[in-house]
Every structure is written in C-alpha cells, then in structure tokens.
C-alpha cells in the first residue's frame, strides 16, 4: 500500500482564500455603490447652492425672492454638512472608534427633515410627497406632514 500525503490542510486554506476573495469582491462592489450614492447625495444640494447663488447675483429679483433663495441655500448647506458628518461617523465605525449615544429622538423633527430633503425632488418630478407617522410619540400625537 502506498502512502498518500494529507492535503486536507491545504484544501481548507484554498477554500478560505476563495471565500476571502469573494468577500473582498463583495465589499469592493458595496464600496462602489456607496461612492456612487454619496456622490449623488453631495451633488444635488451642491447644485442647488450654486444655482441659487447665481440667481441671487441677478439684480432683477426681489428681496423676498432673495430670502427664499437664501433659505434653500442654507438648507442645502446643512444637508451637505450632515452628509459629511455621517461620512466621518462611518469612518469612525470602520476604525472601531465610534461611540453610541443613547438618547431621546424627536421623530416628528426627523420626519419633517426628511420631507424638506425630498420635497424639491418630488416637486421637480411633479410628485406629491406625503409623510405620515402611525407611531404615537410620547410628547405629541402622530404627526401628519
């Protein structure tokens, strides 16, 4: 009888390499999707900021229009800042330096922010945006936005 070498360790290592490669490819695909989505999220409010600044430079608009444009610029800037802060939070999570802050969340405010975020997009596509909350908040009744 001939002795055959045991290659089970080698086969196990090869299988682990294949699994690791597939996981790395999936992570790379997820990163590509994330970058594409975040690029869109940054570009939209930045385009609004630049567009309304150009409108403000036009000397033929009223003060009321200027204030309205300034409000949109401020909201878009706040949205960009929020995205950057979320990216920084994500970097902290990946570096294992994130902390969890447990506290009370204002659901009504969150829903209102979401409405403000998507209102112009919906309006541009001639869609009616309605957000309703069926949950009861301890301090308020269910909001209808």
């Amino acid at each position: 009888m001939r002795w055959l070498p045991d290659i089970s360790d080698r086969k196990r290592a090869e299988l682990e390499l294949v699994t690791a490669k597939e996981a790395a490819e999936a992570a790379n695909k997820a990163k590509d999707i994330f970058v594409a989505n975040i690029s869109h999220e940054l570009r939209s409010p930045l385009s609004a900021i630049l567009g309304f600044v150009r409108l403000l430079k036009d000397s033929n608009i009223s003060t009321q229009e200027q204030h309205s444009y300034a409000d949109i610029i401020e909201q878009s800037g706040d949205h960009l800042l929020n995205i950057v802060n979320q990216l920084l939070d994500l970097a902290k999570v990946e570096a294992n330096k994130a902390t969890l802050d447990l506290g009370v969340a204002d659901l009504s405010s969150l829903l209102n922010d979401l409405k403000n975020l998507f209102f112009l997009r919906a309006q541009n596509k001639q869609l009616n945006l309605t957000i309703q909350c069926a949950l009861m908040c301890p301090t308020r009744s269910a909001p209808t936005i």
Side-chain angles (χ1 to χ4, degrees):
M1 184 181 253
R2 216 169 150 197
W3 179 79
L4 296 174
D6 184 7
I7 60 168
S8 58
D9 288 340
R10 181 177 178 179
K11 288 294 185 183
R12 194 173 14 257
E14 286 176 2
L15 182 60
E16 288 174 3
L17 284 174
V18 168
T19 304
K21 179 184 175 203
E22 289 172 353
E25 288 171 351
N28 195 39
K29 184 177 180 180
K31 178 194 62 119
D32 290 344
I33 292 169
F34 172 76
V35 168
N37 287 336
I38 208 66
S39 296
H40 175 74
E41 288 296 320
L42 291 171
R43 209 172 330 171
S44 296
L46 186 56
S47 294
I49 288 170
L50 295 174
F52 283 107
V53 164
R54 290 179 185 122
L55 286 173
L56 284 173
K57 288 183 175 181
D58 183 5
S59 60
N60 297 328
I61 58 175
S62 70
T63 305
Q64 184 178 1
E65 285 177 300
Q66 288 177 354
H67 285 289
S68 174
Y69 296 160
D71 288 342
I72 293 170
I73 290 170
E74 183 179 29
Q75 289 172 358
S76 297
D78 286 342
H79 181 62
L80 283 174
L81 181 60
N82 188 29
I83 291 171
V84 170
N85 286 337
Q86 289 174 357
L87 286 172
L88 292 172
D89 288 345
L90 182 61
K92 285 181 185 177
V93 168
E94 289 185 358
N96 290 325
K97 295 189 180 191
T99 58
L100 181 60
D101 232 355
L102 296 177
V104 178
D106 184 356
L107 183 59
S108 297
S109 178
L110 174 64
L111 291 174
N112 196 38
D113 288 346
L114 284 171
K115 179 185 178 195
N116 291 335
L117 176 64
F118 292 108
F119 178 76
L120 287 176
R121 288 184 193 170
Q123 190 177 34
N124 288 340
K125 293 181 180 185
Q126 298 176 344
L127 298 172
N128 184 22
L129 176 64
T130 303
I131 298 176
Q132 294 180 334
C133 178
L135 301 174
M136 294 300 291
C137 300
T139 57
R140 302 178 196 184
S141 62
T144 299
I145 301 173

